[in-house]
Amino acid sequence: MADRDATTPPPAIEGGSAAPDRAPQWRKTQRHTYGAVDLGTNNCRLLIARPTDDGFTIIDAFSRIVRLGEGLGASGKLSQEAMDRSVSALAVCADKLRRRHVSIARSVATEACRRAGNGREFIERVRNETGIALEIIPPQEEARLAVLGCHKLLEPGDGPALIFDIGGGSTELVLVEPGEESPRIVAWWSAPWGVVSLTESEGRAAIDGDDRLAAYARMKARATDSFSRFAEMLPRDVPGIRLLGTSGTVTTLASVHLALPSYDRRAVDGLHVPIGDMRRISTMIAELDFGGRSNLPCIGAERADLVVAGCAILEAIIDIWPAENLGVADRGIREGILRSLMARDGHVI
């Protein structure tokens, strides 16, 4: 990113003002370029797209692991190193938004910024240094956007469905029923365990030690306990239940299931994997040490420390919602943002 005059802050990159319920006809014919930034506890992601007659076309994307929430559980604050990594990634996003002439964008931050004592200060720093105006969204909005972004990948059927998003600092669970155009949200839950927070609760030494299966069982028990009240809301003995996950955990495990030599979104997005296979893969990963996990092509050293916690959370979800298959979505909050912005402007998405 080009150097700036230190005395002149960059312009804020924000979405447009709220539109009326029924967009004027002239707006429907326009083809704005839209942007969505999702700063999570572990990742910084960007999508830029333009609407088409039957959806939207992605024209640019960016994703980087920033580990914004690293150490947050112990200190209650975002560390200087984590903030620096995140600002660097967001500067790349800002540059892409400008170069692609994005006219309407929404940028959101989730659990790490919600929990951190210095979250608001970090948001202000991001705006001053990159021009991106991050909005710290509540868990309910996070869940809504995730459902909006991925629900089209649900298995066909009339039964209820559970859609979940395993994040870095929290996990969102949403119970939905079929609706006229999109699923109707019946209940939702946000648990305070994601792959970063749950890993740090146990410690990396325990996850890789001789008793790592015991550590895995403890992580699964923590996740299960955090889901217990939501589990009481779920319908029992209902036929045709469906399950759909959107997160790096489920896409990574799906890649392992397919034995892919490298990640391929086209092979993973929309895949439906038998639950038994997902359980076996989760157990296999939990049994491996760091080196063994790193040697799996679609995990590697970058994800080898956090994937175990993701497996524990996934197994806890499967226990409370025993569907036959797990739907895998390589889409979520960013796509939900784009769909909501485009729909607001009158596009049929």
Side-chain angles (χ1 to χ4, degrees):
M1 189 172 180
D3 292 335
R4 296 182 179 278
D5 179 352
T7 63
T8 306
I13 300 171
E14 303 180 72
S17 59
D21 291 340
R22 185 170 297 174
Q25 188 64 37
W26 67 267
R27 294 187 68 180
K28 297 185 182 183
T29 62
Q30 288 191 337
R31 285 291 186 264
H32 288 292
T33 302
Y34 295 80
V37 176
D38 171 21
L39 179 64
T41 302
N42 197 45
N43 290 278
C44 176
R45 299 184 177 97
L46 164 75
L47 273 186
I48 298 174
R50 292 194 186 102
T52 60
D53 291 338
D54 57 353
F56 57 79
T57 298
I58 296 171
I59 60 173
D60 209 342
F62 173 76
S63 179
R64 181 184 293 176
I65 294 176
V66 295
R67 304 201 176 200
L68 177 61
E70 191 171 58
L72 176 60
S75 68
K77 292 185 176 181
L78 305 174
S79 72
Q80 188 64 48
E81 295 79 7
M83 290 190 289
D84 290 346
R85 290 193 298 266
S86 301
V87 169
S88 176
L90 288 165
V92 176
C93 295
D95 186 53
K96 286 179 176 287
L97 289 166
R98 281 186 282 268
R99 286 193 293 107
R100 295 293 187 175
H101 304 291
V102 171
S103 50
I104 300 174
R106 186 182 184 191
S107 304
V108 303
T110 54
E111 184 68 9
C113 290
R114 287 195 294 260
R115 291 178 55 196
N118 58 345
R120 293 288 177 184
E121 297 171 21
F122 170 68
I123 295 298
E124 187 62 27
R125 176 187 170 187
V126 168
R127 182 175 181 129
N128 288 338
E129 295 188 22
T130 72
I132 291 179
L134 284 171
E135 171 191 356
I136 302 176
I137 58 173
Q140 186 173 7
E141 175 67 359
E142 185 177 355
R144 185 189 73 86
L145 290 172
V147 170
L148 184 61
C150 72
H151 71 83
K152 291 182 181 295
L153 297 182
L154 276 169
E155 282 187 296
D158 297 325
L162 186 64
I163 299 176
F164 66 89
D165 182 1
I166 302 174
S170 65
T171 295
E172 276 62 51
L173 304 165
V174 190
L175 178 67
V176 300
E177 292 181 346
E180 291 185 5
E181 295 183 0
S182 61
R184 182 176 67 88
I185 295 177
V186 178
W188 68 277
W189 190 258
S190 181
W193 297 119
V195 296
V196 175
S197 56
L198 190 56
T199 298
E200 292 184 348
S201 76
E202 193 62 38
R204 288 175 174 81
I207 294 171
D208 285 317
D210 293 339
D211 293 328
R212 52 183 172 270
L213 283 179
Y216 181 73
R218 290 192 295 270
M219 288 194 293
K220 181 181 172 184
R222 290 189 188 99
T224 299
D225 182 65
S226 70
F227 298 153
S228 59
R229 288 182 58 193
F230 181 72
E232 295 173 358
M233 307 178 198
L234 299 176
R236 301 294 178 186
D237 301 320
V238 178
I241 64 174
R242 297 165 292 161
L243 182 65
L244 177 65
T246 167
S247 72
T249 293
V250 294
T251 56
T252 297
L253 297 191
S255 300
V256 174
H257 169 73
L258 295 174
L260 296 177
S262 61
Y263 186 72
D264 183 352
R265 183 183 188 274
R266 294 168 298 177
V268 169
D269 188 50
L271 184 70
H272 291 91
V273 182
I275 287 297
D277 289 349
M278 276 299 194
R279 283 194 186 276
R280 283 190 290 273
I281 292 168
S282 295
T283 301
M284 179 268 290
I285 289 173
E287 290 175 343
L288 295 172
D289 61 11
F290 183 88
R293 298 192 299 272
S294 297
N295 287 333
L296 293 173
C298 290
I299 295 180
E302 194 172 44
R303 295 178 173 83
D305 57 342
L306 302 180
V307 69
V308 179
C311 291
I313 296 169
L314 175 61
E315 283 213 73
I317 292 171
I318 293 171
D319 286 346
I320 66 171
W321 192 253
E324 291 185 4
N325 299 299
L326 170 64
V328 179
D330 186 354
R331 59 181 78 181
I333 291 175
R334 293 175 302 168
E335 288 81 0
I337 290 172
L338 292 174
R339 290 183 182 280
S340 62
L341 291 176
M342 292 177 188
R344 188 188 68 179
D345 284 349
H347 300 286
V348 178
I349 303 299

